[in-house]
Structure formats: structure tokens, C-alpha cells
């Protein structure tokens, strides 16, 4: 019998967004459960593998890669917000001109 053990990964609340951690945790569904707690200025993520395929360092690396990906998605979203607003405004503006 193989015992799957929990793994803790923690992040500073001053440098890591909760949203990115939640998105990464969501993407882990099927591979591990992730409980996120906040304590003493840290987000503590408890990863509980749900299968034997990802354990220990492999699970940690996979989770960190997902968090990195979500951080990049947030950054790109922030950087393109204005452009997206302009595109939407232009699109809706052109629709009303035809009336």
C-alpha cells in the first residue's frame, strides 16, 4: 500500500496573489487537492495528491509551474486592460453609427 503524503508550499502575501493560487489549485483538480490558508503574511498551500503519479518534488514543481502561468496571465491581463477597453469601445461605437 502506498501512502500519499501532503506537501506544503508557501508564498508571501505581499508578492503572490490569492487569485493566481486559486486558479492553479483549480487546474490541479484530478491530480491533487489544494487547501489554501493565510497565516502570518503567508499563503500556505497544502497539496494532497489524489493519485500516485505526482508526488513530492514532482507535485511541487507542477504546482509552481501552474502558479507561474497564472501570474503571467494576470500580468498580461493587467497590461492589456486598456487596449481591450478601447477595442470594445470601438466595436460598440461602430455598431451605433449604423443606426
Amino acid at each position: 500500500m502506498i501512502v500519499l503524503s501532503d506537501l506544503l508550499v508557501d508564498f508571501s502575501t505581499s508578492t503572490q496573489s490569492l487569485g493566481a493560487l486559486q486558479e492553479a489549485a483549480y487546474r490541479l483538480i484530478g491530480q491533487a487537492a489544494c487547501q489554501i490558508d493565510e497565516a502570518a503574511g503567508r499563503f500556505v498551500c497544502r497539496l494532497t495528491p489524489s493519485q500516485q503519479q505526482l508526488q513530492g518534488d514532482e507535485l511541487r514543481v507542477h504546482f509552481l509551474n501552474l502558479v507561474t502561468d497564472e501570474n503571467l496571465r494576470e500580468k498580461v491581463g493587467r497590461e492589456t486592460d486598456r487596449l481591450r477597453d478601447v477595442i470594445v469601445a470601438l466595436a460598440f461605437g461602430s455598431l451605433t453609427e449604423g443606426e
Side-chain angles (χ1 to χ4, degrees):
M1 178 177 175
I2 297 175
V3 177
L4 303 175
S5 60
D6 289 357
L7 177 68
L8 296 178
V9 183
D10 70 321
F11 302 86
S12 171
T13 58
S14 66
T15 58
Q16 179 59 59
S17 76
L18 176 59
L21 294 176
Q22 290 171 327
E23 292 293 332
Y26 175 75
R27 290 172 59 188
L28 270 182
I29 290 176
Q31 299 167 337
C34 179
Q35 177 181 337
I36 304 169
D37 295 306
E38 185 176 349
R42 311 286 298 169
F43 289 122
V44 180
C45 303
R46 177 180 301 275
L47 305 175
T48 305
S50 57
Q51 56 186 339
Q52 295 174 238
Q53 296 168 358
L54 288 177
Q55 293 186 55
D57 286 338
E58 288 178 338
L59 179 57
R60 177 189 303 272
V61 167
H62 183 59
F63 182 66
L64 292 175
N65 286 338
L66 292 174
V67 171
T68 300
D69 182 64
E70 292 301 331
N71 285 330
L72 182 58
R73 289 172 187 265
E74 284 185 356
K75 180 180 185 281
V76 169
R78 284 190 307 271
E79 291 176 355
T80 59
D81 274 347
R82 288 189 199 134
L83 179 60
R84 191 173 354 167
D85 291 344
V86 169
I87 292 169
V88 169
L90 289 172
F92 283 112
S94 68
L95 292 176
T96 59
E97 289 176 6
E99 293 178 13

